[in-house]
Amino acid sequence: MLGLDEDELFCDDVAGLTQRGPSTEADLVEESPTESRRLLPLPLPTSATSSYASEKMGDPLTLAWTVGRLDQRMDRRALLQLAATVTTSTVLDPAERLLRALAGDHRPDNVTVSHLESRTRGFHRLEENFPAHALYPALMTHLSEISTLLESGPSEALRKRLAVTAGESAVLAGWFAWELGDTRQAVSLSRLVGMAAKQGHDPATAAVWTGYRTYMTGGDGAYSVRLAKTALERLGEAAPATQAWLLARLAEDAALLGDRNTALNAIARAEEVYATADINDRPWTCFLDAARFASMKLAVYTRIRHEEKSFMALDGITASLGAEPEIKKLCVVKADMAIARIRVGDIKEGIDHARSSLAATDAMASPLGWDRLGQVAKELRESRTAAAREFHAEYAATRPTATPPSLL
């Protein structure tokens, strides 16, 4: 469990947190007689490479800010076109304010904090089209800058906004750390999420991280279900889009366990909440458009073998996926479509979808995509067609040997 149970994510005793690990900056918090509790900057990971980012994206910090200010869906082609035109001079005024604040020349102001909030939204949007290793180093730099400003004595209102922004950034950084197999950083970032949620009075941040952890159990479906329920309890009625996603996660994992009633009740409630939710309410739900939500429904109905509802969900995906969907979306959505088609005997179309998922998953190095493709491969075991054999060979030749760690 990341070395912490759920209560420890909200521990008031800073010493209690730091005593459980080495006394370094990675412990994330410190206390002094004259200063309030602080979020500390994290060291940049040495295992990540930014070569992809430098070759394809220019400056990811500038691009993230620009995309975050636009705060709308952009496909990969549009992102790359934007990256070719965006330069540091585009953001000179807020960037200069940020640099002065970081240098201690003046305290952070509303413009500086808004700059960091936009960057955070942008990173969550970029994550849909660029792999973790391309964004992780820049995101950690972003987190470090937020932490530095938290130490600079901002006003209480700005301090709260910075803490919320730190939490929104840390959940994505923790996800990247897990995707890249960096267990130590995932543990550290988990603690940072908990501390930021407390300081920002923002339980949604901690709830969404608990939701992310449902993917990190190494296949322990029962524990994933418990985590999803814990996240929903922690969230309450706040952040409807987050609530809809967590309900759909509960439904997916309950369906995988064969708990039909829990799965059906959870996905029905998720649909009710999603109908009126704003997916742009928090940065982490920008991915949950109609196609991605329909794919979660499809996963549930396929797992409990509800054929009529599966076809309805397939139609929903087809109607809303669009001509150029985000690459990361294709990793999971196309695999879910493949499983559904294979189960109704449409092997050819199922394999076509699976190949789309395989190409996207390989490009994004997506653990969720590899997990879903493993399920596709199992569904094809009984098929004796040449197409099935060819796909098995392609999948075996492409899948990485290492898998993300279980963080139980």
Side-chain angles (χ1 to χ4, degrees), residues 11 26 55 79 85-86 112 162 200 217 237 377:
C11 178
E55 292 174 6
L79 282 173
T85 60
V86 168
T112 304
L162 284 167
T217 63
E237 297 300 315

Side-chain angles (χ1 to χ4, degrees), residues 49-381:
T49 171
S50 58
S51 60
Y52 188 100
S54 63
E55 292 174 6
K56 301 293 185 181
M57 297 169 60
D59 175 18
L61 289 169
T62 303
L63 183 59
W65 175 80
T66 306
V67 170
R69 281 202 71 190
L70 293 172
D71 202 20
Q72 63 185 24
R73 180 192 174 277
M74 300 181 71
D75 60 45
R76 185 180 175 86
R77 181 180 302 176
L79 282 173
L80 290 174
Q81 290 173 344
L82 180 64
T85 60
V86 168
T87 63
T88 305
S89 61
T90 313
V91 293
L92 190 57
D93 180 57
E96 283 187 346
R97 286 172 179 254
L98 176 58
L99 287 171
R100 290 201 305 271
L102 291 170
D105 292 342
H106 77 102
R107 295 174 68 183
D109 56 17
N110 180 65
V111 173
T112 304
V113 176
S114 295
H115 180 84
L116 293 170
E117 290 170 336
S118 293
R119 250 204 220 158
T120 300
R121 289 193 298 272
F123 272 115
H124 279 270
R125 289 191 177 277
L126 290 176
E127 186 254 351
E128 283 291 286
N129 280 292
F130 295 97
H133 71 76
L135 298 172
Y136 188 30
L139 180 56
M140 295 298 281
T141 297
H142 171 68
L143 257 175
S144 186
E145 292 176 352
I146 295 170
S147 297
T148 299
L149 294 189
L150 278 164
E151 295 176 329
S152 69
S155 68
E156 186 58 32
L158 292 181
R159 181 178 179 79
K160 181 178 178 181
R161 286 171 60 188
L162 284 167
V164 170
T165 304
E168 291 174 339
S169 302
V171 293
L172 183 59
W175 178 261
F176 285 163
W178 173 74
E179 284 194 317
L180 295 169
D182 192 339
T183 304
R184 181 179 179 277
Q185 282 284 51
V187 170
S188 291
L189 288 158
S190 179
R191 292 172 175 165
L192 177 54
V193 169
M195 185 61 69
K198 282 184 72 69
Q199 293 193 11
H201 307 287
D202 185 25
T205 298
V208 82
W209 175 250
T210 304
Y212 282 9
R213 288 177 57 204
T214 63
Y215 292 111
M216 303 176 184
T217 63
D220 188 337
Y223 192 68
S224 293
V225 165
R226 291 199 297 274
L227 284 171
K229 290 179 177 178
T230 298
L232 285 162
E233 290 171 4
R234 179 160 291 144
L235 183 68
E237 297 300 315
T242 303
Q243 184 184 7
W245 172 68
L246 289 171
L247 284 163
R249 282 295 300 131
L250 172 60
E252 284 185 323
D253 284 327
L256 202 58
L257 292 177
D259 186 349
R260 186 183 181 90
N261 288 337
T262 297
L264 287 173
N265 289 336
I267 200 63
R269 177 62 182 146
E271 288 190 76
E272 291 175 11
V273 175
Y274 184 80
T276 57
D278 176 10
I279 65 170
N280 296 314
D281 176 50
R282 299 303 296 263
W284 50 67
T285 47
C286 65
F287 79 96
L288 195 62
D289 62 8
R292 184 65 182 93
F293 186 70
S295 79
M296 297 187 82
K297 293 194 294 182
L298 178 60
V300 173
Y301 295 132
T302 301
R303 289 169 182 179
I304 63 174
R305 299 186 181 274
H306 194 314
E307 191 169 301
E308 180 182 356
K309 292 273 193 178
S310 294
F311 278 115
M312 291 173 63
L314 275 168
D315 290 342
I317 295 172
T318 302
S320 55
L321 192 57
E324 289 196 36
E326 296 87 342
I327 297 178
K328 201 161 199 177
K329 193 165 281 128
L330 291 175
C331 300
V332 175
V333 172
K334 284 291 188 175
D336 284 338
M337 295 176 78
I339 293 168
R341 287 299 183 187
I342 292 166
R343 286 199 172 181
V344 297
D346 192 345
I347 301 298
K348 181 182 182 303
E349 186 169 353
I351 290 175
D352 287 344
H353 288 310
R355 285 199 168 106
S356 294
S357 172
L358 182 61
T361 298
D362 187 40
M364 294 295 289
S366 168
L368 298 192
W370 290 122
D371 179 71
R372 287 294 209 282
L373 285 166
Q375 296 174 37
V376 173
K378 289 179 182 177
E379 293 291 329
L380 286 171
R381 279 178 181 170

Side-chain angles (χ1 to χ4, degrees), residues 14-53:
V14 178
L17 280 176
T18 57
Q19 285 169 6
R20 275 182 283 272
S23 181
T24 68
E25 282 192 344
D27 293 317
L28 306 177
V29 291
E30 70 178 14
E31 186 88 357
S32 75
T34 59
E35 293 179 288
S36 63
R37 196 168 297 153
R38 300 185 291 170
L39 304 179
L40 294 181
L42 292 166
L44 289 178
T46 57
S47 58
T49 171
S50 58
S51 60
Y52 188 100

